[in-house]
Amino acid sequence: MEEIVWLAQLIRESKKTIVFTGAGVSTESGIPDFRSPGGIWSKYDPEDFTIQRFLSSLDARKTLWKMSAEGELLMEAEPNPAHCAIAELHQLGKLDCVITQNIDNLHQKAGVPEDRVLELHGNMQWVVCLGCHSRFPLLQILQKVKGGTEVPDCPDCQGILKPDVVFFGEALPQDAFCEAARRTQKCDLFIVVGSTLTVYPAADIPIYAGEAGIRLAIVNLTPTPLDHYATVVIQGEAGDILPRVMERVKLS
Ligand code: NAD
């Protein structure tokens, strides 16, 4: 496919590549995305995941913890060939950083160092107390849920516990967002993988890249609103496309 050769060429010419990922990079690891048919929003009501609802409704908290217990699969998921191809970019010295909307920790599991992964929506492995701000491993808290506690509270202060991920209506972690915006201005290639690019403000970051005239590549199953900005658009499965791109990169 001509586009694969083209993207490989852009990577060869790049010294600082940023990869921006969404839920689509992890579907081949068995984690459904939100908006595809059969995705998470076909099973749950997004309204249950606003921060206002979570704080004001015990039922919403029950749903959340039930979903988290079912979602333990997320903790067992393994990186797929797309995550591994992105980690290879790091091994080749091409990767500036990964900016991810995902909360699944799979880029780190694939071998991208922690300090090269900017998580815009938090990380599912952790739970935070909204009272005393202590953090606990999710698995520790899920023990309680499995033991029959429908809504676990903080072991230290009995405050409300919340997965350390960004809910609708909540601000993004400013450090990660500002660092992502700063690094984007300085990269020379910005590759989007597996995102609808419709979740804001995360989707502002690739717009900054497009507006700054940085080469933009998009690898996604379906069209995105930024396709017209992109130097190259590849429609297909990331776990198929990215390893083929990396094979080409390594040919030179
Ligand atoms: P999204 O669900 O809105 O869209 C996913 C996109 O990926 C779609 O355009 C789809 O066509 C594409 N896609 C699906 N499988 C693909 C594949 N194998 N290869 C290439 N493309 C593929 O996801 P989003 O844009 O990331 O936004 C939704 C929000 O959901 C994000 O904020 C993220 O925090 C959260 N989320 C995260 C996870 C996770 O951590 N794995 C899972 C679900 C949702």
Side-chain angles (χ1 to χ4, degrees), residues 199-211:
V199 178
Y200 287 89
D204 280 327
I205 303 277
I207 294 177
Y208 297 157
E211 286 176 349

Side-chain angles (χ1 to χ4, degrees), residues 37-77:
I40 291 171
W41 291 153
S42 56
K43 255 181 102 182
Y44 291 97
D45 180 357
E47 282 298 311
D48 278 338
F49 301 96
T50 63
I51 188 67
Q52 294 82 0
R53 181 82 172 266
F54 180 79
L55 292 178
S56 63
S57 155
L58 194 64
D59 279 346
R61 296 210 283 280
K62 276 185 195 164
T63 306
L64 185 281
W65 287 111
K66 180 171 169 275
M67 184 182 173
S68 297
E70 286 172 3
E72 210 182 341
L73 271 180
L74 201 102
M75 305 291 286
E76 287 160 14

Side-chain angles (χ1 to χ4, degrees), residues 21-28 31-36 40 74 101-106 121 193-199 202 219-224 236-239:
T21 61
V25 79
S26 296
T27 53
E28 291 164 75
I31 305 173
D33 61 16
F34 275 170
R35 290 172 181 76
S36 292
I40 291 171
L74 201 102
Q101 299 172 84
N102 294 345
I103 56 173
D104 57 27
N105 207 44
L106 290 181
H121 294 157
V193 182
S195 175
T196 49
L197 298 180
T198 56
V199 178
V219 178
N220 203 51
L221 266 185
T222 49
T224 81
E237 297 207 318

Side-chain angles (χ1 to χ4, degrees), residues 14-205:
S14 162
K15 292 193 170 65
K16 274 176 176 243
T17 296
I18 287 182
V19 182
F20 176 95
T21 61
V25 79
S26 296
T27 53
E28 291 164 75
S29 293
I31 305 173
D33 61 16
F34 275 170
R35 290 172 181 76
S36 292
I40 291 171
W41 291 153
S42 56
K43 255 181 102 182
Y44 291 97
D45 180 357
E47 282 298 311
D48 278 338
F49 301 96
T50 63
I51 188 67
Q52 294 82 0
R53 181 82 172 266
F54 180 79
L55 292 178
S56 63
S57 155
L58 194 64
D59 279 346
R61 296 210 283 280
K62 276 185 195 164
T63 306
L64 185 281
W65 287 111
K66 180 171 169 275
M67 184 182 173
S68 297
E70 286 172 3
E72 210 182 341
L73 271 180
L74 201 102
M75 305 291 286
E76 287 160 14
E78 291 296 330
N80 68 53
H83 297 103
C84 296
I86 295 166
E88 246 186 316
L89 274 178
H90 168 68
Q91 285 145 21
L92 294 177
K94 295 278 183 188
L95 186 73
D96 182 71
C97 66
V98 173
I99 301 172
T100 189
Q101 299 172 84
N102 294 345
I103 56 173
D104 57 27
N105 207 44
L106 290 181
H107 290 297
Q108 294 91 326
K109 261 194 181 173
V112 180
E114 294 268 345
D115 62 356
R116 297 277 175 138
V117 183
L118 300 177
E119 292 174 318
L120 298 182
H121 294 157
N123 189 313
M124 186 68 194
Q125 290 194 115
W126 294 95
V127 170
V128 65
C129 171
L130 300 181
C132 67
H133 306 292
S134 298
R135 284 171 103 222
F136 305 93
L138 174 70
L139 290 179
Q140 179 189 330
I141 302 301
L142 286 186
Q143 295 282 339
K144 291 192 182 193
V145 180
K146 283 190 198 150
T149 309
E150 283 186 310
V151 181
D153 56 18
C154 175
D156 293 347
C157 76
Q158 285 72 54
I160 294 178
L161 289 179
K162 182 180 97 55
D164 201 6
V165 300
V166 175
F167 280 35
F168 293 112
E170 245 189 320
L172 267 54
Q174 280 309 292
D175 290 359
F177 188 83
C178 292
E179 182 66 1
R182 192 187 66 79
R183 283 178 177 260
T184 295
Q185 303 294 334
K186 295 190 172 171
C187 75
D188 56 17
L189 175 62
F190 192 100
I191 307 175
V192 172
V193 182
S195 175
T196 49
L197 298 180
T198 56
V199 178
Y200 287 89
D204 280 327
I205 303 277

